[in-house]
Amino acid sequence: MKNIKLGLSVSMAALLASAGAMAQDSVYEEFLVTAQKRSESINDVPISIQAYGQETLENAGVRDITQLQLLASGLSFAKSSANTPILTIRGVGFNTPNLSSTSPVGVYWDEVAYAYPYMAGGPVFDIERVEVLKGPQGTLYGRNNTGGLINFIAAKPTDDFEAGVRGEFGNFETYNFEAFVSGAITDTLRMRVSGRWENSDNGWQNAITRDDRLGQKDRLGLRAIIDFEPTDRLSFQVIGNHWRDKSDTVAGQAVLFNPDNPGFENPGLQALVRTDWDNDIAGWDPDDGSKPPFETDAEFYSISGRITYDINDSLSVVSLTGFNSVDRRDNNDVDGTAIEVFTQLSDGGIDSFSQELRLQGESGDLSYIVGGYFSRDEINDNQIGFIDQASAIQFLRFLAQNLVDPMNMLFSPEEYAGGFRSYRNISEQTNRSMSLFGNVDWDLADTFTLSAGLRYTDDKLQHNTCSADFEGNTRPIWTTAVFAAVNLGTGNVPNYGVDVDQCMVFANNFTDRAAFERPDLSEDNVAGRLSLTYEPSEDLLVYASISRGFKSGAIPVLTANVESQFDPARQERVMAYEIGTKASLADRAIQLNMAAFYYDYTDKQLFAEVLDPVFTTLPKLVNIPGSRVFGLETDISWRATPELTFRSAVTYTNAEVTNYQGFNRFGQPQDFEGARFAFTPKWTVNGSVDYDRDLTSDLGIKVFLAANYQSATSGSLLNEPGFEVESYAVVNGSINLYSLNESWQIGLFANNLFDTYYWTSTDTIADTVFRIPGPPRTFGATVSWRF
């Protein structure tokens, strides 16, 4: 790391030393962004923000949100055990596999919230730009954005006819196609239609124990946009988005043998655990037809409508309506072996409606926005587990057959022998949020601007949640061995053979079963932001801000034995302090942005261990009373010549718990003070080189390299053995020949150019600690035409 920092310092010195010799036409190109819900230069926004256009994303090989960390510093991605993306910015994220959990890193498409991370799982294509905002953004964006947000802005319909097609062909029998058509239908009506279809017929994961593969891809994305402007003051925009995914899921890699019940584990399990994995091998169960294949079957629909009415030249009313619907059925083998220790089928869906109405305008030295927001989400989040060879299940079968019912008076030997191979978790939720917000920017003088914003939010979460029997398989063991184990030493008399169709967990006193229906979670809060901006010239901006953001409470969906595991976690709060500068140097050939930040983090939501009379510990969603995050970041772009541009960004993040007493996985009390946040590397370094020049009067060439380095982190608070996420660097690149009139382009690309073995996640569920690996090197050729 010292060498990296020294190299960055030397590079910075070299940049500034040579700046005076730069040509006047080597000017860094600024983005126009809508981070504050109005169009302005990215260098005039007093927020830490990065933005990238479609061409940069294509050249860098970024084709979905999980790859955006290649370009955006301080952003990290991890894949959960249930195929749900985990997004973290500056240490603020939510490590959960649940479909039903919102993220503190918000994802938006044209300002419409995709409040649940799984909704953002489709391909990224035909966009104008993506904006990554860091720090709490809860004033103008009201869905839990304590860590930051990612806003995708789709390419809009054009006045003139345009069309284009693109094909990509590569290893693993990859063939991807993309196309768009745009233009005016009448003088007041324009339309754009686009799509992307991704295929890989030969999977990239090879089974370590047999001739089998995973990693086939079959993913489709479609979009249609209609712009209607009947008058100069009134406009309508309707956007429809759709994606579907029928790809294979990713298998885990077992790296540590850690049986829950030693002596009852499968005798062949330990031999399948190893540490010398590579990025193209893994372990998973053979497909014997007894459970669904390891595939995704997911579909997403979204439609949004924007109405803008300009009351006069300085005052507008904007209505933004959105409806999103997602359904998923993902089966994941995550234990990393060819033995059925733990496989999880996630089956659920969400229908989400939102409505925002705002008034925005200018008056003298004031710019302002006031409005209201409403959302309502209907959620089904169900899980089915397959755990036939888990040591805990083997122990319970032994207990049921030999000690509880040796004469087979309650169930047959066959029912005991195969009992509790499967179970289900069920959750029905309704999430309602209402808020009022306002923001004002006041030009105190020619060089000073004061910004202030507030949002009042009222949330209500209703839920019915439980663990239950699955097709009669769970009942023989749970109503005998589990009842006996729980009641040993409690003085209670086990009530064997009770009905467990809807809820098979115990009430907190272990004397009865818990109820399926649970109390509502109702909370409110006031978020806000105050910032002061000093702008002595058009080439320099300095800002300082204080902001407070909230993430609403959450309901866990997990395998439970006792009712208290379903207690909701209350809302979390982040108080953020930031100072930063944005400077254009060397006749605007260099853009240098820097920021320092400190977060006071209260009641962080986290899955932790709680004591259990049967399984020693089980997971529970808890609140961490106190945490802190602080760090520094730099982002520099240097257009060395009209043909050559360098970009580099470095983020240092120190995120740790300051107050939490809990339990480790062995049921022992643990003081977590000083524990570092999971999936939060201290250092992230991003860099790119963009070379684009004319070869002839008709032909040009462009070369693009992008790299991302992340320092070591861990999948657990205690940084336990096996949970390490080692440091890694990934490099993507492309080289293209193109016509100067932009009518065609051909090229070559490579992602993970040096075939780096890395993994983004580690976890344990039963008997093994496992990794979720990243893909190996992919490469191929592209060809595209524009009309």
Side-chain angles (χ1 to χ4, degrees):
M1 196 68 244
K2 290 182 179 178
N3 290 336
I4 291 175
K5 290 186 280 187
L6 177 61
L8 290 170
S9 300
V10 172
S11 298
M12 179 69 72
L15 285 174
L16 296 177
S18 61
M22 297 174 187
Q24 182 64 38
D25 57 353
S26 300
V27 176
Y28 173 72
E29 183 180 358
E30 292 183 13
F31 264 103
L32 292 179
V33 297
T34 53
Q36 300 186 110
K37 296 197 173 182
R38 62 177 184 267
S39 181
E40 56 191 328
S41 168
I42 191 171
N43 294 329
D44 292 334
V45 180
I47 298 171
S48 184
I49 177 176
Q50 293 173 292
Y52 311 95
Q54 172 74 21
E55 184 178 5
T56 298
L57 297 177
E58 286 181 355
N59 292 338
V62 176
R63 285 305 191 174
D64 59 46
I65 194 171
T66 67
Q67 301 164 330
L68 193 57
Q69 66 177 3
L70 184 75
L71 297 172
S73 66
L75 169 67
S76 61
F77 160 78
K79 184 184 288 290
S80 78
S81 59
N83 208 32
T84 309
I86 301 168
L87 299 169
T88 302
I89 294 179
R90 292 178 172 176
V92 182
F94 187 24
N95 179 17
T96 173
N98 295 164
L99 171 71
S100 53
S101 295
T102 57
S103 172
V105 177
V107 179
Y108 293 75
W109 274 88
D110 290 285
E111 297 183 16
V112 174
Y114 287 14
Y116 302 88
Y118 197 89
M119 290 180 171
V124 172
F125 63 96
D126 195 36
I127 68 168
E128 179 182 313
R129 67 185 183 279
V130 57
E131 302 173 5
V132 181
L133 283 65
K134 303 171 186 179
Q137 306 295 325
T139 304
L140 294 178
Y141 296 86
R143 290 299 296 262
N144 303 305
N145 306 300
T146 50
L149 65 88
I150 302 169
N151 189 24
F152 292 92
I153 292 89
K156 299 304 186 294
T158 53
D159 292 323
D160 299 323
F161 174 80
E162 294 182 9
V165 295
R166 177 185 174 92
E168 301 163 359
F169 309 92
N171 60 334
F172 302 113
E173 298 181 20
T174 296
Y175 51 100
N176 305 328
F177 301 100
E178 188 173 327
F180 79 93
V181 178
S182 177
I185 299 175
T186 69
D187 291 342
T188 59
L189 183 66
R190 299 186 300 271
M191 187 172 184
R192 188 182 188 102
V193 178
S194 57
R196 180 174 173 83
W197 184 30
E198 299 179 343
N199 302 268
S200 292
D201 290 344
N202 192 13
W204 58 270
Q205 282 193 308
N206 295 277
I208 194 69
T209 59
R210 63 191 184 278
D211 184 16
D212 197 4
R213 301 177 77 96
L214 282 179
Q216 291 184 349
K217 180 180 286 189
D218 181 3
R219 192 168 65 162
L220 174 69
L222 299 171
R223 183 181 306 117
I225 304 176
I226 295 175
D227 280 347
F228 178 48
E229 297 182 5
T231 72
D232 292 340
R233 295 192 178 275
L234 180 63
S235 65
F236 299 85
Q237 185 178 86
V238 178
I239 302 178
N241 280 299
H242 166 68
W243 62 258
R244 64 116 174 105
D245 192 351
K246 296 184 179 294
S247 306
D248 290 347
T249 54
V250 177
Q253 300 172 329
V255 296
L256 186 66
F257 180 59
N258 185 31
D260 291 332
N261 291 77
F264 287 89
E265 69 274 4
N266 185 293
L269 183 61
Q270 187 170 8
L272 299 176
V273 175
R274 52 190 291 174
T275 57
D276 59 338
W277 293 97
D278 206 344
N279 52 10
D280 60 351
I281 54 176
W284 65 91
D285 303 346
D287 185 2
D288 60 4
S290 65
K291 56 180 178 284
F294 298 116
E295 296 176 354
T296 294
D297 187 2
E299 199 158 18
F300 172 77
Y301 294 92
S302 173
I303 186 167
S304 63
R306 179 192 298 268
I307 303 174
T308 303
Y309 178 65
D310 296 330
I311 298 174
N312 53 48
D313 292 342
S314 59
L315 184 63
S316 301
V317 177
V318 179
S319 171
L320 184 62
T321 308
F323 176 77
N324 304 325
S325 178
V326 66
D327 291 292
R328 71 175 297 191
R329 186 176 174 83
D330 297 359
N331 196 30
N332 291 268
D333 187 320
V334 294
D335 61 73
T337 73
I339 294 173
E340 188 183 286
V341 177
F342 191 89
T343 294
Q344 180 169 291
L345 174 65
S346 301
D347 187 6
I350 301 173
D351 289 336
S352 175
F353 171 81
S354 64
Q355 173 63 53
E356 178 175 297
L357 184 65
R358 65 180 188 256
L359 185 71
Q360 58 189 57
E362 299 177 354
S363 178
D365 295 329
L366 296 177
S367 299
Y368 57 87
I369 297 176
V370 293
Y373 180 86
F374 172 85
S375 67
R376 181 181 176 88
D377 310 325
E378 299 289 343
I379 306 164
N380 285 291
D381 193 357
N382 306 314
Q383 301 167 350
I384 298 172
F386 299 91
I387 51 175
D388 186 51
Q389 295 299 307
S391 62
I393 301 306
Q394 296 297 321
F395 166 72
L396 290 171
R397 288 171 181 169
F398 173 85
L399 184 63
Q401 181 71 89
N402 294 279
L403 298 178
V404 178
D405 187 21
M407 304 300 294
N408 299 319
M409 299 180 65
L410 297 173
F411 298 95
S412 70
E414 292 78 15
E415 288 176 303
Y416 282 130
F420 217 152
R421 180 208 179 182
S422 56
Y423 64 90
R424 62 184 172 132
N425 301 323
I426 49 180
S427 183
E428 300 171 358
Q429 303 182 26
T430 300
N431 189 350
R432 189 269 295 155
S433 181
M434 298 187 298
S435 59
L436 297 173
F437 62 91
N439 190 85
V440 60
D441 295 332
W442 181 17
D443 294 332
L444 301 175
D446 291 341
T447 56
F448 285 96
T449 300
L450 180 69
S451 299
L454 286 175
R455 179 183 287 261
Y456 170 77
T457 300
D458 179 88
D459 291 327
K460 184 176 183 180
L461 183 57
Q462 300 171 299
H463 73 111
N464 301 322
T465 307
C466 224
S467 293
D469 177 70
F470 180 67
E471 296 182 348
N473 178 262
T474 319
R475 181 181 289 107
I477 302 301
W478 201 84
T479 61
T480 56
V482 176
F483 268 55
V486 166
N487 285 276
L488 285 175
T490 65
N492 302 321
V493 178
N495 182 17
Y496 296 132
V498 299
D499 177 34
V500 292
D501 283 336
Q502 192 172 50
C503 192
M504 69 179 191
V505 307
F506 291 98
N508 291 331
N509 57 11
F510 295 105
T511 59
D512 198 2
R513 287 184 302 121
F516 179 56
E517 296 184 2
R518 306 193 182 279
D520 299 343
L521 177 64
S522 297
E523 299 176 304
D524 63 355
N525 59 72
V526 177
R529 186 173 190 271
L530 182 67
S531 70
L532 181 64
T533 303
Y534 172 60
E535 196 168 5
S537 71
E538 63 178 8
D539 293 331
L540 179 62
L541 178 146
V542 181
Y543 67 91
S545 67
I546 302 173
S547 56
R548 179 169 71 170
F550 289 83
K551 179 191 177 298
S552 59
I555 304 298
V557 183
L558 43 73
T559 306
N561 193 40
V562 64
E563 182 179 23
S564 59
Q565 285 181 259
F566 293 119
D567 291 344
R570 59 185 175 271
Q571 62 187 356
E572 62 181 35
R573 185 188 71 194
V574 174
M575 284 292 299
Y577 307 87
E578 182 170 332
I579 57 173
T581 182
K582 301 184 178 186
S584 298
L585 309 172
D587 291 331
R588 313 195 79 183
I590 295 176
Q591 179 63 40
L592 175 63
N593 301 335
M594 297 185 293
F597 54 90
Y598 179 88
Y599 297 169
D600 184 1
Y601 205 162
T602 304
D603 288 333
K604 175 180 173 62
Q605 297 167 10
L606 183 76
F607 278 94
E609 304 294 325
V610 294
L611 296 179
D612 184 81
V614 179
F615 302 98
T616 307
T617 63
L618 282 174
K620 186 181 190 300
L621 186 60
V622 302
N623 290 102
I624 304 298
S627 307
R628 68 177 182 185
V629 182
F630 63 88
L632 300 165
E633 65 183 23
T634 63
D635 181 1
I636 185 168
S637 299
W638 175 32
R639 191 166 185 185
T641 72
E643 297 83 16
L644 182 63
T645 301
F646 297 94
R647 296 182 179 91
S648 178
V650 180
T651 299
Y652 169 78
T653 305
N654 189 310
E656 63 180 28
V657 175
T658 57
N659 178 20
Y660 176 55
Q661 303 286 330
F663 298 92
N664 61 25
R665 300 179 194 275
F666 303 103
Q668 302 165 332
Q670 183 78 44
D671 184 354
F672 287 85
E673 182 180 355
R676 291 172 53 188
F677 285 9
F679 303 124
T680 304
K682 278 194 173 183
W683 293 95
T684 61
V685 182
N686 303 77
S688 67
V689 179
D690 188 350
Y691 180 70
D692 189 343
R693 63 160 296 174
D694 298 349
L695 292 177
T696 70
S697 59
D698 301 314
L699 185 65
I701 186 172
K702 51 188 171 185
V703 181
F704 192 93
L705 287 174
N708 167 246
Y709 167 83
Q710 302 210 11
S711 64
T713 181
S714 176
S716 76
L717 276 180
L718 293 176
N719 196 22
E720 301 161 275
F723 287 84
E724 304 92 350
V725 180
E726 293 183 358
S727 60
Y728 66 88
V730 173
V731 178
N732 290 4
S734 62
I735 181 170
N736 294 278
L737 292 174
Y738 64 95
S739 67
L740 295 183
N741 64 6
E742 299 184 344
S743 61
W744 60 265
Q745 177 175 287
I746 59 173
L748 302 172
F749 71 89
N751 298 330
N752 193 2
L753 179 63
F754 299 107
D755 204 20
T756 300
Y757 170 48
Y758 69 100
W759 58 95
T760 61
S761 302
T762 58
D763 204 350
T764 184
I765 298 178
D767 294 351
T768 66
V769 177
F770 57 86
R771 301 169 179 166
I772 306 295
R777 176 172 50 224
T778 57
F779 57 87
T782 65
V783 58
S784 61
W785 292 270
R786 292 180 68 97
F787 309 98

